[in-house]
Amino acid sequence: MAETTNTAYPQVLFANRKPDRIATIDDYRKNGGYEAIQKVVSTLSHKDVQKIILDSNLLGRGGAAFPAGLKLQTVADDAPFPRYIVCNADEMEPGTFKDRVLLHADPHLLIEGMLIEAYSAKAEKGIIFIRPEYENAARILEREVAIAEKAGFLGKNILGGDFSFTIDVHRSGGRYICGEVTAQLNALMGKRPNPKQPPPYPTEKGLWDLPTVLQNVETLCCMPPIIRNGAEWFRNLALTESGAGTKLYGISGRVNKPGCYELPMGVRLSEIIEKHAGGMPEGSEFKACLPGGASTRYLSRAHYDMPMDFETLKAAGHRLGTAAIMVFDQKTCMVAATLNLMAFFARESCGWCTPCREGTPYIRDLLWRIENGRGEPEFVDILKKQCKYLWNAYCAFAPGAVSPVEGLLADFEDEVWAHIHQKTCPFKASD
Amino acid sequence: MLSQQIQASKHPPELVVDVMMAVQEHYGYLSDEALEEAAAMVGMAPTKLDELATFYTFLYREPVGRYVIHLCDSVICWMDGYEPLRDHLCKKLGIQMGETTPDGLFTLLPVCCIGYCDRSPAMLINKKAYGPLTSEKIDEILETLRSEAAETTPS
Amino acid sequence: MPKLIIDNREITVPEGTKVIEAAERLGIMIPRFCYHPALGSVGACRVCAVKCLEGPRKGIQMSCMIDAQDGMKVSTTDAEAVDFRKHVIEWLMLHHPHDCPVCDEGGHCLLQDLTVSGGQGVRRYQGPKRTHTDQHLGPLVAHEMNRCIQCYRCVRYYQEFTGYEDLGVMQIGSRVYYGRFRPGTLESPFSGNLIDICPTGVYTDKPSRYRGRRWDFERRPAVCLHCSLGCHVTVSARYREVVRQEARFSESVNGHFICDRGRYGFPYVNLPERPRSARVDGTETGWEAALKIAGERLESAAWKTGPQGIAVVGSARCGLETQGMLKRLADAKGWRGPVFDIDPAAANVRTAVSRLDSDLRVSLREIETADCIVVVSADPLNESPMLAPALRQARRNGARVAVIDPRPASLPFQFDHFPVAPDDLAAAMAILIRKCADKEPLSELGKTAVRSLRGVSDGADIPDADGLAALYDDLHDSRRPVIVCGTHTAPPEIPGMAADLALLLRIAGPRAGLFYVMPGPNSFGAALLSDPALSFGDLVSSIEEGETKALVVAESDLFGSGIDWDRLQNALNKLELLVTLDYIDSQTTRAARILIPTLTAYETPSLSINNEGRVQQSPAAFRGGDPIARTGGGEHPPRAFRRDIPGREMGAAWTALPTLGGRNPGSAPVNLTAWLGDAHPALTSLPESSDFPPDGVRLPLAENAGERFQTDRFSHGEKEEDALTLLVADSTFGTEELSSLSPILKELTPSPCIQIHPEDAAEFDLSTGDAVRIDTGAGTAVLPVQTTDRIARRVLVIPRHRDLDDRLPRERRTVLSKTAIRKATEDA
């Protein structure tokens, strides 16, 4: 599928990706694997590493796009020990599967990434928090962690220095909210995974009240190549000025070749769909896409040529999120699609704060009525108000949840009205 | 193994989900008694475990079948035919969503996006992913599991 | 000190104050559900939204989550904020059953108030409502989950504040459910606060269910009388019965909460067996007439025997007025007494009162701010329950809490327990005192203190003596250590040693505090006003010797004293006259020749002094009289009409006492507080009842009394080798005199048992579940054994229990020989 298409672009994270085969430690080392940590341990201070990561302009790949180097720097010099690294492999954003592909392709890339992160945060314990649906990946990781330990890359006095680091794989019980940093830390401590508003920030008081740096799988995997090739190299990988590095774009829905593609940051949406994902099926026209998972706004036809980079999308009032592009064609009912997304959010709301707990099912109910021909004209205003006020929820879940609804009301309001006026779903009627 | 880990752990509650998963694996689901057993293992109050057991998708507080089918109902799978597949599964198994077949083999549950959007529509059975699905493939999978069950169950 | 503007009004508040609190200081009550001052802010309900117009934050903000900051301009009435709050209410009401007409919370429901005041009156949501199954939570709290608005207050209170884990939050999203793992009685003895803290009717008061609406009740503030802490409660009375009690906020004493003993201890007021008419020689007599007869008989007794042939006895549950009037009467008539200290712990209380210097004492709330606490010879949860959550709050703030007590202490938080046998407690305290005396600034004083310890062992043989020494280091390194000392079961030297330690610590550096726990609600007053020269034991002897012929007993059951029951009964039989004034039915009221029923503290204004010397006032909650349930046979309105209240003839004990003085009474006082000053100088300057501050007044006690070390109390009788010490202990429910009469608490009262260390048990071939036959000296009991390694060695603990009253020794500590206990076999 994916690996055959884009030889034109450098493959950094997928350098060792092979069809139906997991890269072994030998495969990984053949291509320069574990050289970065060697370099780090023998020649760089933890501050040096932080500086390189910061200079590389590596932004968090989990969706929030927080600068990875900046996060490392928020661990105070005099912060207590032991410190923790958490790798967020709880990839639960609907439409997102890039981390799964990455973990199955090259597990040692993640292990080395965690080592670099740990070295720069002076952490000695790493935890990979993985969703239970990825049991297969969890087993791969456990196996490869043991192999890395045997090879001397994990454990005490790594590569003969005084740096020690171990990695545990923690399987989640499975809930979307566990992907949220503070909720994930609660989950790791055996508490209910409700988010907890900072301060204190996890880098100050995280796991067991100790400094904890949490990063997404893909973010961590970017670190070894950055160390090996330098910050400038990484920045230059992007096609846009604002971007840096390559990005794993997961594309699904109405395309001929759904899959995960490593492309330079800032590649255009049209190119991803047409060139890499094999275009849209016969008879399908691009209507909209979600650019980065369920909690982003729809990109309509007007944005078809948009460079897909955190900054460019932000400037257009959108979010790149996890870069999980879900493509909808003209035959898809946007009300029904949004209803599906809302049903997801209503089911996954953790129930901590009122707007999210009660507002998401409320919106789901309104959309369900509209979709099923029971919509009333005043629903549109109620929806708009609900969307607006869900931004006042406790964490970022609810603002994410209403993003597609806002997109629906902004770009497809006529479709909503058509449902209400015709007292049925026009897409069902035309079937 | 797990009890060793608990003893070695500075913070046993960090293992509470693993313990519940293991106990669930053993008994099939987390009955009240199983939950109490897990609570005793980690030295926490049963209520604290129930707070978690009722939170997570993959911890079952009610009896489930030998094969738990989690059929993805998120947006890509929905677009790619979740509804007809669900109806097919329900008909084939003779149960509704959330129910278990009378022979105790299959439980059918919805699940949110399982991260197989490139292979949609998809489902998990006992945490193993299947996709892209068609009615025919589903029939095949069910048949394989049925015979697997027949082979491993002493008659 | 940030200065900000809220609704165009400027206010300066301390750093760290939340905007919601700052507004409250201005009298602006921002709506709230999840926020509670005792629980803090969590930002869950989102109903406290305000709009920040200027300053470091802009737009809609949750006022519970943001600190007041300089330059903030906040509007609580901004249209967007109001509209958002209205939406929050709409969300919260989506699933609410709107069953206010049948909900006990209706009329004092925060959800009801905010729904109405928020203007949310139209239902727009057309979806189905989620429903829940309720659980049985025991006799106190009713559960009705459909009403829930998921504010998380209950679990936060239950788990975080009080430290119990049998009530939790289950499920996720809009199905969030608060309940137990399995239905059953809530384990926390503070569970009743759930009723107060729930902003709607999920948790309601079970015993008073359907007994009335808030506006039906006569509601008055009162002070709890079920231990010495004097927590604040609000009483609700209807149809001349007390129906329910709620916690009442007190800045200095109990904060926002009370214990279940205090909340549900009130039914003694309503009991059918409560004496309500006066009796003379077994014949019902009018109240005034009975008093007059009593006065005449006492006068004639005085003619025959002289005034010294008459003695007066009160108790720690008498109001301060009654205690004072007993003293006044005794002084005026030359009678003996008063004796209040009938509890065996009396001497300890007296020591405590004499050693509680003004600069050492701390209030219950101040304990929460301590950073190192040593609890000696006290069992907080069982003796003064609200002390336990206070200690827990200190622990949550990082304090170390250590308990030095032989009993198997149990507290809802992590603490260090030193299970030291009663005979070793002095040595354990001496370890701490000796180490403290070594410290620099104490050289001379320290020597004096150490000299006073002559005869006390160096404690080397105490289990974990090193741990105690290390505990001292923590005490010394703390900023605000507090010594908490019990008096119930403590050996006589311990309260003084606790004071010695606090005093030395104070001088050595840290701002040490001292907190005593006492057996009765008004023990402090009893200690101040009793005749120091007369003990109750002396009094009984003098009856036996025929010197005392007549006894006036006010609100005291002599059978709760330290005197053997048979001996006491014989002594009472020898009396020519026993006049008893009381509001409960007891062996003493039944033995009385003349019985004068009196009003409870719910029916008459009353003063009491709590364990820290704080005089508190309770106004009357209702006017008293026979409950309508009795006079009307349960019917209301009554079928017969009369102008007066039936059963209202009786008065407070202290108003009755002057008449007992006969023709030359001790003259009924005009000014209550003025004559109390005559009774004891410390009571001289009590404010008028109308001026009484809400948290009462702390009595002026000795200040910085300096070198008053415990001396010459260290005399132990030689103990038989292998002897065992039996401790008669308290339990949260069922041992305190008044609350043990409560039918509501009956189900919570633990069944009798005996606790023993497993290794000691093994010696008698006993293990948990076995029955043991024990000869306590006062009788023989067969009890189930509970072994626990948290108890001191060679110690047996039996919690007091009504079923055992006649078979337990009157003393709190009794030495038993090995032969006193043996395994009870089935055929035995």
Side-chain angles (χ1 to χ4, degrees):
Chain A
M1 287 194 278
E3 57 282 357
T4 53
T5 43
N6 39 48
T7 42
Y9 291 125
Q11 297 292 287
V12 177
L13 305 178
F14 280 166
N16 299 318
R17 190 182 180 196
K18 305 238 164 35
D20 301 324
R21 190 169 156 246
I22 302 159
T24 62
I25 192 167
D26 295 333
D27 296 338
Y28 183 62
R29 293 189 72 178
K30 237 176 262 165
N31 278 331
Y34 289 114
E35 278 172 18
I37 189 64
Q38 212 126 22
K39 177 174 167 189
V40 162
V41 170
S42 52
T43 64
L44 299 174
S45 75
H46 76 284
K47 288 264 179 209
D48 296 337
V49 179
Q50 285 179 8
K51 175 104 185 14
I52 296 169
I53 303 292
L54 188 69
D55 289 347
S56 75
N57 195 20
L58 171 64
L59 302 183
R61 301 310 203 217
F66 189 81
L70 213 55
K71 194 184 270 187
L72 276 170
Q73 286 186 338
T74 57
V75 181
D77 287 340
D78 57 354
F81 295 95
R83 301 173 185 178
Y84 294 89
I85 298 295
V86 175
C87 165
N88 187 347
D90 192 50
E91 183 173 57
M92 286 197 65
E93 183 68 38
T96 312
F97 51 92
K98 62 179 178 74
D99 294 339
R100 188 200 86 226
V101 174
L102 187 50
L103 291 173
H104 279 83
D106 203 359
H108 288 277
L109 182 62
L110 173 66
I111 295 171
E112 190 176 13
M114 287 181 76
L115 277 162
I116 293 165
E117 173 101 338
Y119 183 85
S120 65
K122 296 192 172 175
E124 59 187 61
K125 182 152 185 202
I127 299 164
I128 301 172
F129 187 98
I130 192 160
R131 63 181 300 194
E133 291 88 338
Y134 288 0
E135 176 59 27
N136 203 27
R139 286 185 194 169
I140 293 169
L141 284 168
E142 279 174 334
R143 185 184 70 207
E144 300 304 318
V145 162
I147 290 169
E149 203 167 326
K150 224 168 168 185
F153 295 114
L154 288 170
K156 284 216 173 324
N157 306 102
I158 294 163
L159 299 167
D162 49 11
F163 170 53
S164 302
F165 184 63
T166 57
I167 293 177
D168 281 339
V169 178
H170 178 101
R171 289 165 175 82
S172 170
R175 274 298 174 193
Y176 176 68
I177 193 65
C178 296
E180 203 276 342
V181 187
T182 52
Q184 188 163 107
L185 297 181
N186 277 334
L188 280 170
M189 293 187 283
K191 298 181 186 172
R192 270 173 76 88
N194 294 122
K196 171 94 181 64
Q197 226 170 61
Y201 288 89
T203 46
E204 182 190 332
K205 277 187 168 184
L207 279 182
W208 318 111
D209 277 348
L210 292 161
T212 305
V213 191
L214 189 141
Q215 291 288 13
N216 169 261
V217 172
E218 188 187 346
T219 318
L220 290 164
C221 287
C222 289
M223 292 187 180
I226 292 173
I227 296 294
R228 282 205 303 266
N229 305 307
E232 198 187 342
W233 166 84
F234 188 75
R235 281 201 313 272
N236 290 337
L237 286 172
L239 297 182
T240 44
E241 194 58 38
S242 51
T246 59
K247 177 81 194 82
L248 300 184
Y249 294 91
I251 184 159
S252 60
R254 290 283 172 266
V255 290
N256 283 320
K257 291 201 288 178
C260 180
Y261 305 96
E262 181 175 14
L263 304 170
M265 184 70 90
V267 64
R268 286 179 194 276
L269 175 60
S270 52
E271 183 189 325
I272 301 176
I273 294 174
E274 288 164 17
K275 194 171 161 203
H276 307 287
M280 296 187 59
E282 195 65 43
S284 280
E285 279 168 42
F286 181 87
K287 182 178 189 178
C289 78
L290 286 166
S295 53
T296 55
R297 280 176 78 143
Y298 295 109
L299 285 178
S300 65
R301 184 78 216 175
H303 293 108
Y304 188 59
D305 269 334
M306 177 66 85
M308 298 293 275
D309 155 9
F310 290 114
E311 290 301 322
T312 50
L313 281 178
K314 195 171 160 190
H318 285 269
R319 286 195 322 118
L320 181 60
T322 60
I325 301 165
M326 292 179 264
V327 181
F328 303 93
D329 68 0
Q330 83 286 5
K331 288 174 279 187
T332 312
C333 170
M334 297 311 285
V335 174
T338 314
L339 168 62
N340 177 286
L341 295 168
M342 222 43 229
F344 162 79
F345 287 116
R347 191 164 70 197
E348 293 296 317
S349 167
C350 81
W352 177 252
C353 76
T354 309
C356 184
R357 184 183 63 241
E358 309 295 351
T360 49
Y362 195 162
I363 295 175
R364 178 192 55 192
D365 183 71
L366 292 171
L367 290 173
W368 183 85
R369 276 166 211 285
I370 293 170
E371 172 63 16
N372 287 282
R374 301 193 204 168
E376 293 166 24
E378 56 269 31
F379 283 7
V380 175
D381 280 342
I382 298 179
L383 275 173
K384 287 181 178 165
K385 214 42 163 319
Q386 294 280 325
C387 288
K388 178 182 172 198
Y389 285 151
L390 255 69
W391 281 81
N392 294 329
Y394 185 82
C395 77
F397 182 108
V402 296
S403 291
V405 188
E406 286 173 335
L408 175 76
L409 295 170
D411 293 329
F412 303 99
E413 188 172 340
D414 48 347
E415 216 173 272
V416 176
W417 281 110
H419 279 77
I420 294 171
H421 289 140
Q422 296 173 27
K423 295 203 180 306
T424 184
C425 172
F427 294 86
K428 269 183 202 156
S430 67
D431 268 355
Chain B
M1 168 67 186
L2 210 48
S3 52
Q4 279 172 0
Q5 261 179 286
I6 294 168
Q7 283 198 329
S9 175
K10 210 171 141 194
H11 311 283
E14 70 187 354
L15 292 162
V16 63
V17 173
D18 302 87
V19 169
M20 283 194 284
M21 285 284 186
V23 170
Q24 172 171 285
E25 190 82 6
H26 184 77
Y27 293 108
Y29 79 105
L30 285 173
S31 63
D32 285 359
E33 292 73 22
L35 201 76
E36 282 173 318
E37 192 181 326
M41 282 174 77
V42 281
M44 290 166 72
T47 309
K48 298 302 286 178
L49 267 67
D50 210 9
E51 291 187 339
L52 303 173
T54 55
F55 191 99
Y56 289 118
T57 309
F58 284 83
L59 291 171
Y60 314 121
R61 285 288 272 120
E62 284 174 42
V64 290
R66 177 156 167 190
Y67 299 104
V68 182
I69 304 174
H70 281 281
L71 185 62
C72 174
D73 62 4
S74 281
V75 67
I76 295 298
C77 288
W78 163 79
M79 203 166 27
D80 288 342
Y82 157 78
E83 280 169 14
L85 285 179
R86 176 196 61 198
D87 296 345
H88 179 77
L89 260 173
C90 288
K91 206 173 137 208
K92 195 83 191 165
L93 297 172
I95 52 171
Q96 295 298 304
M97 264 294 171
E99 293 179 351
T100 301
T101 52
D103 60 5
L105 270 190
F106 297 101
T107 296
L108 188 53
L109 294 170
V111 71
C112 62
C113 183
I114 55 172
Y116 283 82
C117 313
D118 52 343
R119 292 200 247 148
S120 75
M123 66 177 176
L124 286 179
I125 300 180
N126 290 2
K127 293 189 191 164
K128 187 170 175 227
Y130 297 86
L133 296 171
T134 59
S135 327
E136 294 74 36
K137 272 195 194 158
I138 285 183
D139 291 350
E140 231 172 85
I141 294 163
L142 292 182
E143 216 31 66
T144 316
L145 294 178
R146 276 214 176 92
S147 49
E148 178 191 288
E151 276 166 35
T152 52
T153 312
S155 53
Chain C
M1 297 273 278
K3 184 155 62 167
L4 69 163
I5 294 168
I6 304 175
D7 290 348
N8 300 315
R9 292 161 68 193
E10 196 177 270
I11 184 168
T12 305
V13 291
E15 200 79 44
T17 307
K18 302 288 179 199
V19 168
I20 196 170
E21 296 161 344
E24 208 170 321
R25 288 175 184 226
L26 284 170
I28 301 166
M29 201 65 176
I30 298 175
R32 78 276 310 270
F33 287 121
C34 67
Y35 171 81
H36 186 282
L39 307 178
S41 312
V42 289
C45 77
R46 316 308 273 180
V47 83
C48 68
V50 294
K51 192 156 182 181
C52 291
L53 306 171
E54 283 170 28
R57 290 163 187 270
K58 291 274 167 59
I60 297 288
Q61 297 285 343
M62 301 307 133
S63 58
C64 76
M65 294 297 279
I66 51 172
D67 286 346
Q69 277 171 283
D70 268 325
M72 264 186 177
K73 196 173 168 193
V74 177
S75 168
T76 68
T77 55
D78 173 89
E80 192 189 350
V82 171
D83 190 47
F84 175 69
R85 294 202 298 259
K86 190 173 160 179
H87 274 77
V88 173
I89 302 281
E90 181 186 17
W91 284 322
L92 293 174
M93 294 300 285
L94 293 185
H95 300 292
H96 193 77
H98 293 83
D99 61 343
C100 311
V102 296
C103 174
D104 264 41
E105 194 81 0
H108 59 139
C109 172
L110 191 58
L111 180 62
Q112 211 174 27
D113 294 350
L114 291 188
T115 304
V116 174
S117 65
Q120 170 56 38
V122 179
R123 184 170 181 79
R124 303 188 294 177
Y125 178 69
Q126 299 176 20
K129 290 185 181 186
R130 59 106 181 87
T131 53
H132 289 298
T133 310
D134 302 321
Q135 288 181 326
H136 170 74
L137 299 179
L140 310 182
V141 183
H143 194 221
E144 187 74 53
M145 262 306 292
N146 286 346
R147 296 173 183 151
C148 183
I149 57 166
Q150 286 85 26
C151 70
Y152 288 81
R153 267 192 195 180
C154 57
V155 278
R156 290 170 56 223
Y157 162 74
Y158 201 85
Q159 295 191 358
E160 293 171 21
F161 193 89
T162 69
Y164 289 80
E165 292 189 323
D166 59 310
L167 181 85
V169 48
M170 318 294 179
Q171 303 278 6
I172 180 172
S174 55
R175 296 189 316 281
V176 160
Y177 181 90
Y178 304 105
R180 283 169 52 87
F181 170 57
R182 284 202 179 107
T185 302
L186 292 166
E187 286 166 17
S188 167
F190 311 99
S191 64
N193 296 307
L194 291 171
I195 300 158
D196 296 349
I197 207 167
C198 175
T200 180
V202 177
Y203 304 96
T204 50
D205 190 89
K206 202 180 253 182
S208 71
R209 254 197 152 180
Y210 311 133
R211 296 283 302 274
R213 290 273 177 228
R214 174 158 291 206
W215 55 81
D216 295 324
F217 295 134
E218 297 175 69
R219 285 167 53 80
R220 295 283 185 285
V223 173
C224 178
L225 298 180
H226 300 293
C227 81
S228 65
L229 300 179
C231 297
H232 291 203
V233 295
T234 302
V235 187
S236 291
R238 191 183 192 193
Y239 299 150
R240 301 201 286 270
E241 284 184 70
V242 176
V243 179
R244 68 180 279 189
Q245 290 196 117
E246 291 147 88
R248 180 165 62 94
F249 177 71
S250 156
E251 183 67 49
S252 314
V253 185
N254 54 301
H256 289 86
F257 306 114
I258 55 172
C259 70
D260 291 345
R261 184 208 278 178
R263 186 180 297 262
Y264 295 109
F266 63 81
Y268 68 90
V269 187
N270 311 334
L271 290 178
E273 58 267 34
R274 174 179 167 188
R276 289 185 182 271
S277 44
R279 281 203 311 269
V280 176
D281 301 326
T283 311
E284 281 197 13
T285 312
W287 198 72
E288 295 285 353
L291 275 178
K292 215 169 146 239
I293 295 168
E296 286 161 9
R297 291 202 192 168
L298 284 165
E299 192 152 36
S300 75
W303 270 108
K304 274 194 267 177
T305 63
Q308 287 287 302
I310 302 173
V312 292
V313 179
S315 77
R317 67 174 159 91
C318 290
L320 187 59
E321 298 91 334
T322 300
Q323 290 177 341
M325 190 55 76
L326 284 168
K327 181 162 167 55
R328 187 179 175 88
L329 188 61
D331 289 352
K333 304 295 290 186
W335 300 345
R336 299 186 75 189
V339 178
F340 300 113
D341 309 337
I342 62 167
D343 188 282
N348 283 343
V349 174
R350 231 184 271 247
T351 309
V353 167
S354 74
R355 296 298 306 272
L356 193 62
D357 298 346
S358 280
D359 52 347
L360 281 180
R361 68 173 157 193
V362 291
S363 69
L364 186 59
R365 284 307 288 293
E366 284 169 316
I367 285 183
E368 296 180 10
T369 61
D371 57 353
C372 187
I373 301 170
V374 174
V375 178
V376 59
S377 227
D379 184 355
L381 211 47
N382 287 317
E383 291 174 351
S384 297
M386 280 306 291
L387 176 56
L391 293 170
R392 178 173 163 85
Q393 303 325 306
R395 174 77 199 115
R396 288 177 74 199
N397 295 330
R400 177 177 182 189
V401 180
V403 176
I404 308 175
D405 189 86
R407 287 165 289 183
S410 148
L411 288 167
F413 55 88
Q414 201 234 322
F415 68 103
D416 302 300
H417 184 206
F418 296 90
V420 175
D423 289 337
D424 292 334
L425 281 168
M429 287 300 283
I431 292 177
L432 301 177
I433 293 173
R434 285 190 173 111
K435 277 204 80 166
C436 188
D438 277 350
K439 298 290 166 183
E440 250 324 293
L442 286 173
S443 49
E444 268 316 303
L445 202 60
K447 275 179 203 147
T448 318
V450 171
R451 267 199 300 279
S452 77
L453 292 176
R454 251 193 312 254
V456 181
S457 105
D458 63 2
D461 51 345
I462 295 177
D464 204 9
D466 295 344
L468 282 166
L471 172 62
Y472 175 76
D473 295 334
D474 285 347
L475 269 178
H476 187 259
D477 292 342
S478 61
R479 288 172 302 102
R480 188 80 178 104
V482 170
I483 311 298
V484 174
C485 179
T487 52
H488 299 58
T489 64
E493 61 274 18
I494 297 302
M497 292 181 86
D500 293 349
L501 179 60
L503 186 65
L504 288 171
L505 276 170
R506 179 107 194 178
I507 300 164
R511 210 157 55 84
L514 182 60
F515 189 86
Y516 286 111
V517 179
M518 298 172 184
N522 208 5
S523 289
F524 204 106
L528 287 182
L529 293 168
S530 60
D531 177 355
L534 185 64
S535 78
F536 187 64
D538 297 343
L539 187 59
V540 173
S541 307
S542 79
I543 296 171
E544 286 164 337
E545 285 155 22
E547 288 165 15
T548 301
K549 297 278 191 195
L551 212 55
V552 176
V553 180
E555 297 173 345
S556 177
D557 181 9
L558 307 179
F559 289 82
S561 69
I563 307 295
D564 176 77
W565 279 11
D566 290 339
R567 186 183 159 205
L568 184 62
Q569 191 63 57
N570 286 333
L572 293 185
N573 290 344
K574 282 192 78 173
L575 284 174
E576 281 174 17
L577 180 60
L578 173 63
V579 181
T580 305
L581 303 89
D582 211 339
Y583 47 79
I584 60 169
D585 175 51
S586 72
Q587 293 197 64
T588 310
T589 54
R590 272 171 260 148
R593 192 69 60 81
I594 298 177
L595 170 65
I596 312 286
T598 58
L599 293 176
T600 65
Y602 290 107
E603 299 147 331
T604 180
S606 159
L607 296 171
S608 58
I609 310 180
N610 81 349
N611 62 321
E612 34 140 358
R614 183 185 299 274
V615 188
Q616 305 197 97
Q617 177 185 249
S618 280
F622 67 111
R623 287 194 56 208
D626 291 343
I628 284 175
R630 278 156 46 90
T631 58
E635 287 187 0
H636 185 76
R639 296 287 174 252
F641 295 92
R642 49 195 283 186
R643 279 178 184 282
D644 60 333
I645 297 173
R648 202 18 223 175
E649 199 194 1
M650 60 180 160
W654 68 270
T655 59
L657 289 170
T659 316
L660 298 187
R663 272 181 295 183
N664 183 17
S667 71
V670 184
N671 184 329
L672 192 70
T673 49
W675 68 262
L676 275 173
D678 298 342
H680 192 281
L683 304 173
T684 307
S685 51
L686 290 181
E688 289 297 317
S689 74
S690 56
D691 296 338
F692 231 86
D695 269 358
V697 287
R698 292 172 113 185
L699 289 181
L701 302 172
E703 254 174 70
N704 208 0
E707 310 168 34
R708 307 191 287 153
F709 295 107
Q710 180 71 38
T711 49
D712 304 327
R713 289 278 196 95
F714 307 105
S715 49
H716 296 306
E718 278 304 304
K719 217 168 75 171
E720 191 184 330
E721 190 73 5
D722 289 344
L724 295 152
T725 306
L726 171 64
L727 285 182
V728 179
D730 286 46
S731 59
T732 313
F733 303 113
T735 59
E736 184 274 321
E737 187 179 9
L738 295 178
S739 65
S740 66
L741 301 171
S742 167
I744 302 168
L745 296 174
K746 210 162 196 123
E747 197 183 316
L748 298 170
T749 304
S751 46
C753 72
I754 185 164
Q755 295 168 316
I756 184 171
H757 195 280
E759 288 178 37
D760 292 333
E763 196 180 316
F764 299 95
D765 188 28
L766 291 168
S767 54
T768 293
D770 287 343
V772 64
R773 178 179 299 275
I774 176 163
D775 180 5
T776 66
T780 305
V782 177
L783 294 168
V785 173
Q786 264 179 22
T787 62
T788 164
D789 51 14
R790 292 178 293 120
I791 196 173
R793 295 297 307 272
R794 315 303 299 168
V795 168
L796 304 167
V797 171
I798 303 180
R800 277 198 289 151
H801 196 282
R802 290 185 76 73
D803 293 351
L804 297 174
D805 260 357
D806 53 341
R807 282 165 294 166
L808 289 187
R810 314 313 320 161
E811 285 295 330
R812 295 301 199 110
R813 277 169 292 108
T814 314
V815 175
L816 296 179
S817 82
K818 263 179 75 170
T819 54
I821 65 172
R822 66 190 153 87
K823 189 170 184 171
T825 48
E826 271 170 41
D827 49 282

